[in-house]
Amino acid sequence: VVAEFTQADTSGVPVNISAFRGKYVLVDFWAGWCRPCRQENPNVVAAYEKFKDKNFTVLGVSLDQNKKAWIDAIEMDGLQWSHTSDLKGWGNEVAAIFKVSSIPQNLLIDPQGKIIASGLHGPQLENKLQEVLK
């Protein structure tokens, strides 16, 4: 089962991963300054749009340090799901829990809180969601 974690959202409100129990959740590690992340965002947006009504959501965990740049990137890329960050960059506590050493990186968590896939990029993400969200 995925390690418990809580981080503040863009408004400073704490978000706990356990609040998403009962759903498939893509925990998406990224940052506004990360060009490969920004290039991957349209794939995540497409998957979110396609599967959000099928018990699926995304939780963004940002390795940004600049809050304004982080929020601007969310708005620019049209990322309409919950976003969290401790604004510690590579020192992000959630990234440390999951030993994230490069971004973009993600974990797909099932409704029971178990990690069932990771590192899903491009068409792999949609293919895996198609498979589990029958």
Side-chain angles (χ1 to χ4, degrees):
V1 171
V2 73
E4 281 288 311
F5 66 83
T6 301
Q7 241 174 28
D9 69 11
T10 54
S11 308
V13 177
V15 175
N16 188 301
I17 187 63
S18 64
F20 296 92
R21 270 293 144 74
K23 280 187 175 224
Y24 284 90
V25 184
L26 185 75
V27 181
D28 187 36
F29 295 93
W30 75 293
W33 49 260
C34 165
R35 189 169 296 283
C37 301
R38 303 292 296 273
Q39 289 168 336
E40 183 62 27
N41 278 342
N43 296 324
V44 182
V45 169
Y48 176 76
E49 287 301 323
K50 189 167 182 179
F51 297 104
K52 67 182 180 188
D53 298 328
K54 296 189 173 163
N55 206 31
F56 169 75
T57 194
V58 178
L59 175 61
V61 177
S62 168
L63 276 63
D64 276 291
Q65 289 179 289
N66 178 316
K67 188 170 185 178
K68 182 182 179 341
W70 171 43
I71 292 170
D72 287 350
I74 291 169
E75 288 173 2
M76 236 178 288
D77 292 1
L79 312 181
Q80 298 177 15
W81 46 83
S82 296
H83 290 274
T84 65
S85 184
D86 54 14
L87 298 173
K88 292 180 183 171
W90 283 106
N92 183 292
E93 289 168 17
V94 178
I97 293 170
F98 296 105
K99 300 177 177 44
V100 171
S101 58
S102 67
I103 52 175
Q105 179 56 275
N106 57 44
L107 306 167
L108 183 60
I109 300 171
D110 75 7
Q112 288 72 49
K114 214 170 72 192
I115 298 171
I116 56 171
S118 65
L120 299 169
H121 302 296
Q124 298 168 320
L125 174 58
E126 194 169 315
N127 293 344
K128 184 66 179 180
L129 291 172
Q130 200 82 55
E131 184 189 306
V132 298
L133 297 172
K134 288 196 162 57

